[in-house]
Amino acid sequence: PIRDAIISNDGVEAILRCFERYFESDEFVAEAMRVLVCLAMNSEVAKETMSAEDVIQLVVAASSRHQESIMVQELCCKLLTSISVRNGISEVIVQHGGLDVVVRALQSFSDERIHDAACYLYRNLACQLQNPEGLVKQGAVRHAINAMSSHEGCASIQTNACCALWNIAFKTKKDPGTVVGSSGIQAIVKAMQTHLEYSDLLEVACGALWYVVDGSIDVKKDVIGSGAIDAVICALVMHPTTEPTLIKASGVFSNITAEAPLAEAFANAQGVSVVCDAMCNNAAAIAFLEVCCLTLRNIIFHFPEYADEAAVTIPTIIEAMRDNMSATAYLKEACKFLWVLAAESES
């Protein structure tokens, strides 16, 4: 109610006028922005007012004018993060120099809080922008990886950076493995190994790996050497019923098992038994079962000796088929997997 009263009485406009009038005072700018950040939380009306081009220009200018103020830099990142969720605003932020705000925050300071705020802004921009090439040119991948390396114990920095890398890998027109690179793969895997208890982090990390490995065989080999297979298997074991994490993890496996050397590494890491157990324990998770059918089909194609082990999932798969006759994508993958099992049994 108090926040609504401030907004309904044109408090945002009044604060912005003060912000502009006393722009040269870093202390006043910080106090004004602190209020704006608070008001923007959960208020579309406030976000709409703050999304005006002149306001975005003012925030970017404040970051440039008060480069030595860690508070101003942090609040600039937070305010731009808050309004960037609105349709089309991320493009406006980038157009008016918003990427310089992120780069400045990450390069000029080592404080965990400001890096956390900057990575959150990177995440939102990567999610909202249709074309991430501008982010890549500005060094977004490199800066995200550096922040992850500097703050390995901060789960929120790792989560936001992984999510940014995921969206860049998903949207780039270039080879995603090349864009993220070996250092990016290693940083993502390190984040998973350090924070296995955080399912949200594991979800976005697996999402990033899913698209990163959807490239050349050299990238897939980098994944083997990074410990990614063990990390993703651990994600399945640690969060056996968390469907979003399960889907992204199985997506990674469906990609890497398409190549025989990686399929072998997956099988040697007890991946087949872990996936089968997860399928039997999540019979209602149709999207998860669909991707797992593809993974196991890949494994049996390369290594038929795993057919008997994979056959334990047959009751679960058939029951899910009966209960989800409209889920055509799942039904197709289930039929293909059952065909491979049946063909192997006949041979």
Side-chain angles (χ1 to χ4, degrees):
I2 295 175
R3 182 184 300 166
D4 292 343
I6 296 173
I7 295 171
S8 63
N9 283 280
D10 297 329
V12 174
E13 291 83 350
I15 295 165
L16 287 171
R17 287 198 296 270
C18 293
F19 183 171
E20 190 170 9
R21 180 168 183 174
Y22 297 100
F23 180 78
E24 295 301 320
S25 168
D26 62 344
E27 182 179 356
F28 192 95
V29 166
E31 292 302 329
M33 292 192 64
R34 197 195 309 271
V35 182
L36 294 174
V37 168
C38 185
L39 293 175
M41 295 174 59
N42 303 318
S43 172
E44 277 302 313
V45 175
K47 283 189 178 74
E48 183 178 0
T49 301
M50 297 177 203
S51 297
E53 287 195 41
D54 58 337
V55 177
I56 293 173
Q57 289 175 316
L58 185 64
V59 173
V60 172
S63 171
S64 178
R65 177 64 182 84
H66 304 289
Q67 296 187 20
E68 296 181 0
S69 172
I70 188 170
M71 182 61 69
V72 170
Q73 300 303 322
E74 179 186 350
L75 291 170
C76 284
C77 287
K78 286 185 173 181
L79 186 57
L80 293 177
T81 298
S82 187
I83 65 175
S84 65
V85 298
R86 301 190 70 245
N87 287 337
I89 298 304
S90 288
E91 283 79 6
V92 179
I93 292 173
V94 172
Q95 178 184 349
H96 291 291
L99 290 180
D100 293 335
V101 177
V102 192
V103 173
R104 185 178 298 115
L106 290 172
Q107 287 189 330
S108 301
F109 303 92
S110 59
D111 184 79
E112 183 177 290
R113 283 179 54 187
I114 192 168
H115 280 198
D116 193 17
C119 285
Y120 204 163
L121 179 52
Y122 257 151
R123 171 183 181 159
N124 278 13
L125 293 176
C127 289
Q128 296 293 328
L129 291 171
Q130 294 298 315
N131 186 343
E133 305 308 330
L135 289 175
V136 175
K137 288 180 181 179
Q138 284 282 94
V141 173
R142 181 180 73 256
H143 294 310
I145 293 170
N146 289 341
M148 294 172 75
S149 176
S150 299
H151 307 284
E152 292 181 352
C154 180
S156 59
I157 286 179
Q158 304 298 322
T159 301
N160 290 327
C162 282
C163 191
L165 294 176
W166 176 13
N167 278 276
I168 289 172
F170 171 61
K171 296 177 182 179
T172 183
K173 297 179 181 178
K174 302 177 182 178
D175 176 64
T178 303
V179 172
V180 174
S182 297
S183 59
I185 294 172
Q186 292 169 4
I188 293 168
V189 173
K190 180 67 174 179
M192 297 177 68
Q193 294 169 334
T194 306
H195 301 280
L196 280 170
E197 69 275 22
Y198 291 99
S199 62
D200 289 347
L201 189 157
L202 297 180
E203 178 190 349
V204 295
C206 287
L209 288 176
W210 188 350
Y211 285 98
V212 166
V213 299
D214 190 21
S216 67
I217 183 61
D218 291 334
V219 173
K220 290 181 169 70
K221 290 178 179 177
D222 282 341
V223 170
I224 294 181
S226 69
I229 292 176
D230 287 336
V232 180
I233 288 175
C234 285
L236 284 178
V237 174
M238 291 291 292
H239 304 277
T241 59
T242 307
E243 187 172 348
T245 302
L246 294 176
I247 293 172
K248 306 306 185 301
S250 61
V252 178
F253 293 145
S254 69
N255 262 352
I256 64 175
T257 54
E259 303 288 344
L262 282 82
E264 183 177 17
F266 169 79
N268 290 340
Q270 307 301 315
V272 175
S273 61
V274 171
V275 167
C276 289
D277 287 344
M279 292 174 71
C280 293
N281 292 327
N282 293 274
I286 298 303
F288 172 60
L289 295 182
E290 176 188 334
V291 186
C292 286
C293 284
L294 174 57
T295 298
L296 294 179
R297 178 162 60 89
N298 287 344
I299 289 291
I300 297 170
F301 175 79
H302 293 297
F303 304 103
E305 61 269 26
Y306 286 98
D308 287 341
E309 186 173 0
V312 71
T313 63
I314 290 175
T316 299
I317 290 170
I318 294 176
E319 181 180 358
M321 292 175 72
R322 285 197 299 261
D323 294 342
N324 299 274
M325 294 304 294
S326 61
T328 55
Y330 165 69
L331 295 175
K332 288 179 182 178
E333 288 300 333
C335 287
K336 290 177 183 178
F337 174 52
L338 293 175
W339 166 68
V340 169
L341 283 178
E344 178 54 34
S345 176
E346 182 179 339
S347 65

